[in-house]
Coordinates of all heavy atoms in Angstrom, one line a residue:
K28 N 79.0 -111.1 41.4 CA 78.7 -112.2 40.4 C 79.4 -112.0 39.1 O 79.5 -110.9 38.6 CB 77.2 -112.3 40.1 CG 76.8 -113.4 39.2 CD 75.3 -113.4 39.0 CE 74.9 -114.5 38.0 NZ 73.4 -114.5 37.7
Q29 N 80.1 -113.0 38.6 CA 80.8 -112.9 37.3 C 79.8 -112.7 36.2 O 78.8 -113.3 36.1 CB 81.6 -114.2 37.1 CG 82.8 -114.4 38.0 CD 84.0 -113.4 37.7 OE1 83.8 -112.4 37.1 NE2 85.1 -113.8 38.2
P30 N 80.2 -111.8 35.3 CA 79.3 -111.5 34.1 C 79.3 -112.7 33.2 O 80.2 -113.5 33.1 CB 79.9 -110.3 33.5 CG 81.4 -110.3 33.8 CD 81.4 -110.9 35.2
E31 N 78.2 -112.8 32.4 CA 78.1 -113.9 31.4 C 79.1 -113.6 30.3 O 79.1 -112.5 29.7 CB 76.7 -114.0 30.9 CG 76.5 -115.1 29.9 CD 75.1 -115.3 29.5 OE1 74.2 -114.7 30.2 OE2 74.8 -116.1 28.6
L32 N 79.9 -114.6 29.9 CA 80.9 -114.4 28.8 C 80.4 -115.1 27.6 O 79.6 -116.1 27.6 CB 82.2 -115.0 29.2 CG 82.9 -114.4 30.5 CD1 84.1 -115.3 30.9 CD2 83.4 -113.0 30.2
K33 N 80.8 -114.6 26.4 CA 80.5 -115.2 25.2 C 81.5 -116.4 25.0 O 82.5 -116.5 25.6 CB 80.7 -114.2 24.0 CG 79.6 -113.1 24.0 CD 79.8 -112.2 22.8 CE 78.7 -111.2 22.7 NZ 78.8 -110.3 21.5
A34 N 81.1 -117.2 24.0 CA 81.9 -118.4 23.8 C 83.4 -118.1 23.5 O 84.3 -118.7 24.0 CB 81.3 -119.3 22.6
N35 N 83.6 -117.1 22.6 CA 85.0 -116.8 22.2 C 85.8 -116.2 23.4 O 87.0 -116.4 23.5 CB 85.0 -115.8 21.0 CG 84.4 -114.5 21.3 OD1 83.6 -114.4 22.2 ND2 84.7 -113.5 20.4
E36 N 85.1 -115.5 24.3 CA 85.7 -114.9 25.5 C 86.1 -116.0 26.4 O 87.2 -116.0 27.0 CB 84.8 -113.9 26.2 CG 84.5 -112.7 25.3 CD 83.3 -111.9 25.8 OE1 82.5 -112.4 26.6 OE2 83.2 -110.7 25.4
R37 N 85.2 -117.0 26.6 CA 85.5 -118.2 27.5 C 86.7 -119.0 27.0 O 87.6 -119.4 27.7 CB 84.3 -119.1 27.6 CG 83.1 -118.5 28.4 CD 82.1 -119.5 28.8 NE 81.5 -120.2 27.6 CZ 80.4 -119.8 27.0 NH1 79.8 -118.7 27.5 NH2 80.0 -120.4 26.0
E38 N 86.7 -119.1 25.6 CA 87.9 -119.9 25.0 C 89.2 -119.2 25.3 O 90.2 -119.8 25.6 CB 87.6 -120.1 23.5 CG 86.5 -121.0 23.2 CD 86.2 -121.0 21.7 OE1 86.9 -120.4 20.9 OE2 85.2 -121.7 21.3
L39 N 89.2 -117.9 25.1 CA 90.4 -117.1 25.3 C 90.9 -117.2 26.8 O 92.1 -117.3 27.1 CB 90.3 -115.7 24.8 CG 91.5 -114.8 24.9 CD1 92.7 -115.4 24.2 CD2 91.3 -113.4 24.4
I40 N 89.9 -117.0 27.7 CA 90.3 -117.0 29.1 C 90.8 -118.4 29.5 O 91.7 -118.5 30.3 CB 89.0 -116.6 30.0 CG1 88.8 -115.1 29.8 CG2 89.2 -117.0 31.4 CD1 87.6 -114.6 30.6
K41 N 90.2 -119.4 28.9 CA 90.8 -120.8 29.2 C 92.2 -120.9 28.7 O 93.1 -121.5 29.5 CB 89.9 -121.8 28.4 CG 90.3 -123.3 28.7 CD 89.3 -124.2 28.0 CE 89.7 -125.7 28.3 NZ 88.8 -126.6 27.5
L42 N 92.5 -120.3 27.6 CA 93.9 -120.3 27.1 C 94.8 -119.5 27.9 O 96.0 -119.8 28.2 CB 93.9 -119.8 25.6 CG 95.1 -120.2 24.7 CD1 95.4 -121.7 24.7 CD2 94.8 -119.7 23.3
I43 N 94.3 -118.3 28.4 CA 95.1 -117.4 29.2 C 95.4 -118.1 30.5 O 96.6 -118.0 31.0 CB 94.3 -116.1 29.5 CG1 94.2 -115.2 28.3 CG2 94.8 -115.4 30.7 CD1 93.3 -114.0 28.4
R44 N 94.5 -118.8 31.1 CA 94.7 -119.5 32.4 C 95.7 -120.7 32.2 O 96.4 -121.0 33.2 CB 93.4 -119.9 33.0 CG 92.6 -118.7 33.5 CD 91.3 -119.0 34.1 NE 90.7 -117.8 34.6 CZ 89.5 -117.8 35.1 NH1 88.7 -118.8 35.2 NH2 89.0 -116.6 35.5
Y45 N 95.7 -121.3 31.1 CA 96.7 -122.3 30.8 C 98.1 -121.7 30.8 O 99.0 -122.3 31.5 CB 96.4 -122.9 29.4 CG 97.6 -123.8 28.9 CD1 97.7 -125.1 29.2 CD2 98.5 -123.2 28.0 CE1 98.8 -125.8 28.8 CE2 99.6 -123.9 27.5 CZ 99.7 -125.3 27.9 OH 100.8 -126.0 27.5
F46 N 98.2 -120.5 30.2 CA 99.5 -119.9 30.2 C 99.9 -119.4 31.7 O 101.1 -119.5 32.0 CB 99.5 -118.7 29.3 CG 100.0 -119.0 27.9 CD1 99.1 -119.5 27.0 CD2 101.3 -119.0 27.6 CE1 99.5 -119.8 25.7 CE2 101.8 -119.3 26.3 CZ 100.9 -119.7 25.4
S47 N 98.9 -119.0 32.4 CA 99.2 -118.6 33.8 C 99.8 -119.8 34.6 O 100.7 -119.6 35.4 CB 98.0 -118.0 34.4 OG 97.5 -116.9 33.8
K48 N 99.2 -121.0 34.4 CA 99.6 -122.1 35.2 C 101.0 -122.5 34.7 O 101.9 -122.9 35.6 CB 98.7 -123.3 34.9 CG 97.3 -123.2 35.6 CD 96.5 -124.4 35.4 CE 95.1 -124.2 36.1 NZ 94.2 -125.4 35.8

Side-chain angles (χ1 to χ4, degrees):
K28 182 181 177 182
Q29 291 284 19
E31 185 175 348
L32 298 171
K33 292 185 174 182
N35 61 341
E36 294 167 343
R37 290 195 299 270
E38 289 173 7
L39 181 55
I40 286 178
K41 184 178 179 181
L42 199 53
I43 285 173
R44 289 181 177 172
Y45 166 84
F46 268 89
S47 295
K48 288 181 180 179

